[in-house]
Amino acid sequence: MLRALLARRRDPVVILPYTSYGTARGAIVCGRVLEDEGFVAAGAPERRWRNAAEFFKRLESDEMPHAKLVVSGQRVSADREGYFRVELAGRFAPGWNDVEVELAGQPQVRATARVLVPRPAARFGVVSDIDDTVVQTDVTRKLRMLMKLALSSARTRKPFAGVAAFYRALHEGVNPFFYVSKSPWNLYLPLVEYLELQGLPAGPLLLRDFGWRMKKDHKAAAIAAILETYPKLPFLLIGDSGEHDPEIYAGIVRRFPARIRAVYIRAVHRNRERTRAIETLAAGVAKTGGQLVLAPDTEIAAAHAAAEGLIAVEELKKIRADRSADTKA
């Protein structure tokens, strides 16, 4: 059946593994089996029409339903949209681990999944949103967001001023980063490319299914799963005020009291009613011993992090310099 499907398709089949996470005793490996539409990496100079063509090509990607795979010797079946997910038991080393994935019966169709295991030296983990937290997308204005994403690329889409330096200071080369976004899995590759090109810490991306499978509680469920995987590791949560990050994060603090060192919320608008609502949430977070900081820019969040010992004080100069350079760019 699978060979017949492959024969009818014009494009070669590829396995797209997603970066994921695990522990020394087990790991999650997930990804998707798709037709290779010839996606290209962002180059320079770029034309807006080409960016748009690549963007919409990703959105209409053709999946391989019910594909059979072998993941580190274990047989797995993809679902009707080509997604696969498997929990592997075994020994995994601290840092990034490579896991081989291949199409059953066609070992030439293969890929390597990357799985992050936090190092013992990690002081905390960081869970960050992407849209309007790392990069300005106007997520509250859907049409404008769509046009920005369509007409830009990983090279032309810039992070908020100072964010890259702030995240590197938090990372310290050892503290694990996790990116949880409402963006669909179809945009996984350009997001990975974006993180790399902008000098942001690498980390698992937890996106959501596109179309009828979308879940409203995707972000809360993804964060809860991370915290449950690492019960002894404290976390920072970083998001923005544009949609529901403050409410979601406050809910996480209530569910996991004493696990969240700080919540940083980027203020992306000046709506007084919204600000008062977030201040009310901050008061609730404070009752658990945590802190919710509503920051108009990266430098204020960084100053708070330095005061709390989350980043070195000397890193503030680098963050200011990075913020200044980003502002002028």
Side-chain angles (χ1 to χ4, degrees), residues 13-18 29-35 58-65 67 69 78-85 101 103 111 184-188 208-210 212-213:
V13 174
V14 294
I15 301 170
L16 176 58
Y18 302 138
V29 176
C30 54
R32 202 176 186 193
V33 186
L34 300 163
E35 281 190 37
R58 295 181 192 281
L59 289 186
E60 65 87 36
S61 59
D62 295 321
E63 68 278 358
M64 284 292 298
L69 304 109
D79 66 12
R80 59 182 291 184
E81 294 185 345
Y83 293 102
F84 66 90
R85 183 183 187 277
V101 183
L103 202 61
W185 283 113
N186 304 62
L187 300 182
Y188 171 81
R208 68 176 185 174
D209 301 335
F210 188 63
W212 67 274
R213 293 162 54 99

Side-chain angles (χ1 to χ4, degrees), residues 188-306:
Y188 171 81
L189 283 177
L191 285 175
V192 170
E193 185 181 15
Y194 174 82
L195 295 177
E196 182 178 349
L197 287 173
Q198 302 303 334
L200 290 151
L205 268 70
L206 305 170
L207 310 182
R208 68 176 185 174
D209 301 335
F210 188 63
W212 67 274
R213 293 162 54 99
M214 282 188 175
K215 298 179 180 179
K216 293 182 179 180
D217 62 348
H218 152 74
K219 188 173 289 187
I223 297 172
I226 293 169
L227 267 68
E228 289 168 349
T229 300
Y230 310 110
K232 296 182 179 180
L233 191 65
F235 275 84
L236 310 181
L237 306 180
I238 306 178
D240 64 85
S241 64
E243 292 198 305
H244 306 297
D245 284 353
E247 287 78 9
I248 293 171
Y249 292 174
I252 291 293
V253 171
R254 289 192 297 270
R255 182 174 173 183
F256 299 91
R259 291 288 310 281
I260 308 302
R261 289 284 302 274
V263 177
Y264 293 116
I265 298 295
R266 175 180 294 280
V268 297
H269 52 57
R270 298 181 179 179
N271 184 296
R272 292 183 179 179
E273 184 177 347
R274 180 60 173 151
T275 298
R276 285 194 294 268
I278 295 174
E279 289 172 346
T280 299
L281 291 170
V285 170
K287 293 179 181 179
T288 70
Q291 299 179 72
L292 188 155
V293 179
L294 182 62
D297 60 48
T298 302
E299 194 169 340
I300 290 178
H304 178 275

Side-chain angles (χ1 to χ4, degrees), residues 46 48 51-52 55 147-154 156-157:
E46 296 171 310
R48 286 156 65 92
N51 291 334
F55 175 77
M147 293 305 296
K148 278 190 174 184
L149 290 174
L151 298 176
S152 61
S153 74
T156 60
R157 200 177 303 135

Side-chain angles (χ1 to χ4, degrees), residues 165-176:
F166 180 39
Y167 278 28
R168 288 193 295 269
L170 288 171
H171 180 44
E172 292 185 306
V174 67
N175 297 318

